[in-house]
Amino acid sequence: MQVLAQVIFGVIFLIANYFMVKNILRIRKTILLGKDVSIEASSQRWKNVILIAFGQKKMFKKPLPALLHLFVYLGFLIVNLEMIEIIVDGFFGTHRVLFPLLGSLYSFCINTFEFFAAAVIVACLVFLIRRNLIKVPRFSGVEMTSKPIVDANLILVVEILLMVAFLSMNACDYLLQQAGHEHYTSVGRFFISSSLSPLFAGLSSEALVFIERFCWWFHIIGVLAFANYVFMESKHLHIFLAFVNTYFARTEPAGKLQSMESVTREVKLMLNIPVETTETTTEPGRFGAKEVNDLSWKNILDAFSCTECGRCTQQCPANLTGKKLSPRKIMMDTRRRAQDMMKGIESQGKEFSDGKSLLGDYISEGEIMACTTCNACVEACPVLINPVDIIVQLRQYKVMEESQAPASWNMMFSNVENNFAPWKFSPSDRFNWVQKLD
Ligand code: SF4
Ligand code: SF4
């Protein structure tokens, strides 16, 4: 029986990991649909990872949700250390294999895991209440269709169930230790689970063993299923990608717009400014971006790192004044288009075409033209996502390839072209006002 359990465990573990690796590689392939950009390494990038991804610095603008999120995040990292022991026990048919190695430290570790498991339960319950009963405004919006809403709720419920299983397993284990049941090594009392043990008192040894084993299997299968789900299409990918994304995030000032190399070169030539020989002379395939693969891999990585928290949309002045623009929707649509394109490439090959494009079928002109490029969304994002970079590239396509700028902008463009300024004065007239001075 024990050997059969070990074999079943091994098969489940290997299958789950096979699919997880397959999904990770698929996400990588989808992100790399974007154009190549080189991002230089710097110490600032590591600082961002430590402060913003690990330290969750930007979350603490609102301390209470930040603290609850920190509990869930630490709980996820810390409680899953218990998985090391569960996996070793599963493969070798042992029970609490780390106890003899860690001695008294073992009790400290499990007590810490239990504290965070209880904190995760409380935090997830509060999050469910905020989403579904209090209905915090930033969790709604045109892009928050049933799929993202179910995704967010499902993960919270699963996390609660996993933590309840973990605590129940330890509570039954404690009672079985007390009863001197063979196989249940005496490892002592853990504060939270032993406090829960009266809930199971009075059950027979067989029933306790059944519940303990059920919770053990539920916990391991649940964690493996959770990991697979996250690497499919869930917003919870941010648990992992937040670290990668903060590393690769822009370190230049947010307001600095990326100029197009080929256009810069032409302007320099026009103005007789020396052009560096290293500057590219090749024609760009397309000005700006119409399709998701016109964007860079970093833009697509941004989209996959989005937590759908809505902090960007909550701060967006265009959204607040009733315009169609929601930076969260820009990121969600970019991810959806990248996923659709990947599915198409897998079924039809590299020449895939479904007659759709990111601009037009997923993101509308009205949305991108409403952006003021104020960067409030970038400032608000807890994982350093940059929706403006995508919006600007989509606009560049609209203006430079389709010549479809709003009429009010065309005047400004011709002023810049003729007067080197957005105003309707020639450079020689610019200082006429001086003549009116005494
Ligand atoms: S930069 Fe654009 S999308 Fe971002 S907050 Fe400002 S107006 Fe909204
Ligand atoms: S872009 Fe950032 S702030 Fe906006 S929803 Fe995604 S994670 Fe939240």
Side-chain angles (χ1 to χ4, degrees), residues 138 238 302-303 305-313 327-329 331-332 377-378 380-387:
R138 72 179 160 87
H238 77 268
D302 268 354
S305 309
C306 177
T307 72
E308 298 171 12
C309 66
R311 286 180 175 83
C312 51
T313 300
R328 170 173 56 190
K329 179 176 177 294
M331 302 320 298
M332 289 170 72
C377 51
V378 179
C381 182
V383 286
L384 300 184
I385 287 170
N386 191 333

Side-chain angles (χ1 to χ4, degrees), residues 312 315-318 325 327 370-378 388 391:
C312 51
Q315 298 297 327
C316 172
L325 175 62
C371 178
T372 65
T373 62
C374 67
N375 277 291
C377 51
V378 179
V388 195
I391 294 172

Side-chain angles (χ1 to χ4, degrees), residues 168-426:
S168 305
M169 175 182 85
N170 282 353
C172 293
D173 192 305
Y174 175 67
L175 290 175
L176 288 162
Q177 285 174 46
Q178 299 285 79
H181 195 286
E182 177 198 11
H183 190 68
Y184 288 88
T185 323
S186 181
V187 290
R189 182 173 182 269
F190 307 126
F191 184 72
I192 294 178
S193 59
S194 63
S195 309
L196 293 174
S197 63
L199 293 173
F200 303 95
L203 294 177
S204 66
S205 290
E206 290 72 28
L208 287 174
V209 171
F210 176 80
I211 297 172
E212 191 274 337
R213 285 293 84 193
F214 177 83
C215 291
W216 189 90
W217 282 99
F218 181 85
H219 190 73
I220 180 74
I221 292 175
V223 170
L224 292 174
F226 179 95
N228 269 282
Y229 176 73
V230 164
F231 286 112
M232 280 195 297
E233 299 204 346
S234 170
K235 71 160 189 149
H236 290 82
L237 252 182
H238 77 268
I239 299 170
F240 305 100
L241 289 187
F243 300 94
V244 186
N245 202 56
T246 46
Y247 179 82
F248 287 113
R250 273 182 66 161
T251 48
E252 296 165 316
K256 185 181 171 194
L257 291 176
Q258 304 285 352
S259 53
M260 296 168 77
E261 223 174 87
S262 51
V263 176
T264 308
R265 185 176 180 280
E266 290 306 313
V267 172
K268 279 183 179 174
L269 287 174
M270 206 172 76
L271 298 175
N272 287 328
I273 296 171
V275 177
E276 287 186 23
T277 47
T278 51
E279 286 181 32
T280 180
T281 55
T282 52
E283 289 288 316
R286 180 182 265 170
F287 289 115
K290 179 187 184 194
E291 185 50 284
V292 74
N293 55 1
D294 296 327
L295 299 170
S296 71
W297 62 260
K298 173 64 180 72
N299 295 136
I300 305 178
L301 174 65
D302 268 354
F304 273 87
S305 309
C306 177
T307 72
E308 298 171 12
C309 66
R311 286 180 175 83
C312 51
T313 300
Q314 192 184 28
Q315 298 297 327
C316 172
N319 187 277
L320 289 172
T321 49
K323 313 281 189 315
K324 271 181 87 181
L325 175 62
S326 160
R328 170 173 56 190
K329 179 176 177 294
I330 300 289
M331 302 320 298
M332 289 170 72
D333 285 344
T334 304
R335 180 172 60 200
R336 198 157 51 88
R337 180 60 186 159
Q339 287 167 334
D340 289 349
M341 185 178 260
M342 194 67 225
K343 280 179 200 154
I345 290 172
E346 282 171 348
S347 61
Q348 295 176 22
K350 282 192 174 172
E351 300 310 313
F352 156 76
S353 167
D354 59 359
K356 292 183 180 174
S357 60
L358 177 65
L359 180 58
D361 295 292
Y362 291 72
I363 298 172
S364 67
E365 183 186 338
E367 291 169 72
I368 55 168
M369 293 305 183
C371 178
T372 65
T373 62
C374 67
N375 277 291
C377 51
V378 179
E379 180 56 32
C381 182
V383 286
L384 300 184
I385 287 170
N386 191 333
V388 195
D389 198 29
I390 296 177
I391 294 172
V392 167
Q393 291 180 68
L394 295 174
R395 268 187 186 176
Q396 282 171 337
Y397 174 82
K398 229 29 206 160
V399 172
M400 299 176 78
E401 292 274 345
E402 293 191 341
S403 306
Q404 283 189 21
S408 53
W409 295 12
N410 284 332
M411 175 69 80
M412 186 264 295
F413 289 148
S414 60
N415 285 340
V416 170
E417 202 175 327
N418 299 321
N419 306 332
F420 309 110
W423 304 285
K424 208 179 167 182
F425 303 110
S426 73

